[in-house]
Amino acid sequence: MSEEFFETIEEGRRYFGSRLTVMGHHYQEEAVIRHTDLRGDSLELARRTATVESPYIIFCGVYFMAESTALLARPGQEVHLPEPSAECSMALMSSPERLEQVLEDLNGLGRRVIPLVYINSTLAVKALVGSHHGATCTSANAEKMLTWALKEGDAVLFLPDKNLGANTANRLGLPEEDRFLLNLKNKPESLPAAAARARLLLWPGFCSIHTRFHLRQIERVRAEHPGIKVVAHPECPPVVLKAADAVGSTSFIIRYVEELPAGASVAIGTEINLVERLAAQHRGRVKVLPLVESACTHMAQTTEERLAASLKALIHRDQNGEPSSFEVRIADAWREPAKAALERMFEVCR
């Protein structure tokens, strides 16, 4: 943490006052998250965008999250991202071109396939999903949204996270024989007969952070800390979730630790910044350990230095009316269908 950047950021926040809201995802490092007005997981931040009245929003996270915020922002509001190159490896595993090919081939089989896309996806993919009468979901509402999608059509294409899709299907009791994991190395027209019969088709993407967690890590931590609880994020492989004591989104994990009795111990399978923050917050009451240290390099691109730079640029924009390179802009062609995909989620999850 730098005192120089800290002062620059706080001076910028004082300059704007109520005209600026700084939002941040739970996976941001402490040097950044301490400057935020609103923090949460993907679902919380998407929902809370509607409550933000300030004309300027700085979003501390990765690009797809800032895109969603810009999409849901009010007319005239601007969303700025401290590090515009901060992507998400999972989001980049599903291109709109490949998705369109797969959907065309699946629908050509004579069934109505509803696409359900994890919010960890690009705006172009969300727009394509929205135009095919699909919706978005988050790790917090995946069960409700998959239940909805299964009722809406003959089959569901869940993308891009195969683990979240499989784990959600497990929780809903959907049989293995009703699922099919797509192999995108094959040409779309070569889909096997099993894909034509499946009720749930899984895109083969994954989160590089949560795939690092394994059963042997749970076995080791339980051997070293008898009686310890294990809580994991639903992007982890199914074998990890089966062995865990509890499973849920980042917001669920935060509540789970808060509700543990004094003297308890817990190992957490999610991004290390959140684990370390919980360990600091509950030090002396609950022992919080990482299942294994797993950091998101994309989230780490948003630093205190980059936040300070984006605030300086925003002050210049405010004073001179010139556009900022930090602003997130939404292509007109994607705006309405992508917003429809998000709004279907909000409608189902009211």
Side-chain angles (χ1 to χ4, degrees):
M1 296 185 189
S2 165
E3 283 303 313
E4 176 190 352
F5 297 139
F6 180 90
E7 287 303 322
T8 299
I9 293 166
E10 291 307 306
E11 283 177 15
R13 282 161 52 82
R14 286 192 292 272
Y15 169 84
F16 284 107
S18 62
R19 295 190 300 134
L20 171 69
T21 300
V22 181
M23 303 172 73
H25 191 272
H26 287 309
Y27 291 164
Q28 290 292 291
E29 63 179 25
E30 191 60 35
V32 171
I33 206 76
R34 63 179 176 166
H35 297 289
T36 57
D37 301 298
L38 298 175
R39 64 182 71 171
D41 60 16
S42 297
L43 179 59
E44 283 180 301
L45 293 173
R47 276 181 167 160
R48 296 184 75 177
T49 297
T51 70
V52 176
E53 297 183 355
S54 60
Y56 296 124
I57 298 170
I58 292 182
F59 193 100
C60 300
V62 292
Y63 199 84
F64 81 81
M65 296 177 180
E67 281 185 321
S68 295
T69 300
L71 188 69
L72 296 169
R74 302 180 186 192
Q77 280 183 320
E78 294 179 7
V79 177
H80 295 253
L81 185 67
E83 182 45 73
S85 67
E87 291 285 2
C88 167
S89 57
M90 183 202 298
L92 297 177
M93 291 178 189
S94 56
S95 72
E97 295 80 13
R98 193 68 168 106
L99 174 58
E100 190 162 28
Q101 290 176 339
V102 171
L103 281 171
E104 182 179 339
D105 191 56
L106 290 172
N107 286 315
L109 299 173
R111 297 195 303 164
R112 185 169 187 241
V113 178
I114 303 295
L116 182 62
V117 65
Y118 193 22
I119 204 164
N120 295 38
S121 53
T122 67
L123 203 66
V125 166
K126 289 184 179 74
L128 186 57
V129 166
S131 67
H132 281 77
H133 310 289
T136 58
C137 73
T138 71
S139 57
N141 64 23
E143 288 180 57
K144 182 173 283 189
M145 291 308 302
L146 182 54
T147 299
W148 167 84
L150 287 168
K151 292 177 180 177
E152 287 292 305
D154 303 308
V156 175
L157 172 60
F158 189 99
L159 71 153
D161 188 359
K162 64 180 181 181
N163 286 328
L164 179 61
N167 290 326
T168 305
N170 287 342
R171 292 169 77 92
L172 292 178
L174 188 69
E176 289 277 356
E177 56 268 26
D178 287 343
R179 314 176 199 176
F180 183 82
L181 178 64
L182 294 170
N183 179 1
L184 297 184
K185 295 178 181 178
N186 295 333
K187 294 180 180 180
E189 62 270 16
S190 64
L191 286 172
R197 295 191 300 268
R199 292 189 65 206
L200 176 63
L201 297 126
L202 298 170
W203 197 270
F206 57 88
C207 172
S208 56
I209 306 310
H210 291 98
T211 52
R212 295 174 188 161
F213 298 107
H214 299 286
L215 180 59
R216 61 181 179 273
Q217 296 158 355
I218 296 178
E219 294 170 343
R220 184 187 67 245
V221 76
R222 283 191 167 139
E224 294 174 354
H225 304 275
I228 195 170
K229 297 292 185 182
V230 175
V231 59
H233 193 279
E235 291 175 13
C236 294
V239 66
V240 171
L241 269 58
K242 187 175 181 181
D245 296 290
V247 175
S249 66
T250 51
S251 294
F252 171 88
I253 291 170
I254 291 168
R255 291 194 303 272
Y256 184 87
V257 176
E258 288 173 347
E259 294 169 2
L260 285 172
S265 297
V266 60
I268 302 176
T270 196
E271 211 275 342
I272 190 62
N273 278 311
L274 177 60
V275 180
E276 290 182 343
R277 188 170 301 121
L278 290 172
Q281 290 173 352
H282 296 278
R283 187 170 290 119
R285 191 187 74 83
V286 172
K287 186 173 186 178
V288 178
L289 303 170
L291 192 54
V292 71
E293 187 170 318
S294 188
C296 178
T297 56
H298 300 283
M299 284 284 184
Q301 287 181 258
T302 301
T303 62
E304 200 171 27
E305 181 177 7
R306 296 302 293 164
L307 178 54
S310 66
L311 263 166
K312 284 183 178 179
L314 190 55
I315 290 172
H316 183 78
R317 192 254 183 287
D318 186 65
Q319 294 176 342
N320 298 282
E322 297 175 2
S324 167
S325 60
F326 295 93
E327 186 177 354
V328 178
R329 295 177 175 85
I330 304 299
D332 289 339
W334 297 342
R335 182 177 297 277
E336 290 308 316
K339 194 171 184 179
L342 283 161
E343 288 178 340
R344 285 188 190 108
M345 175 180 72
F346 293 136
E347 180 69 23
V348 173
C349 297
R350 277 194 300 183

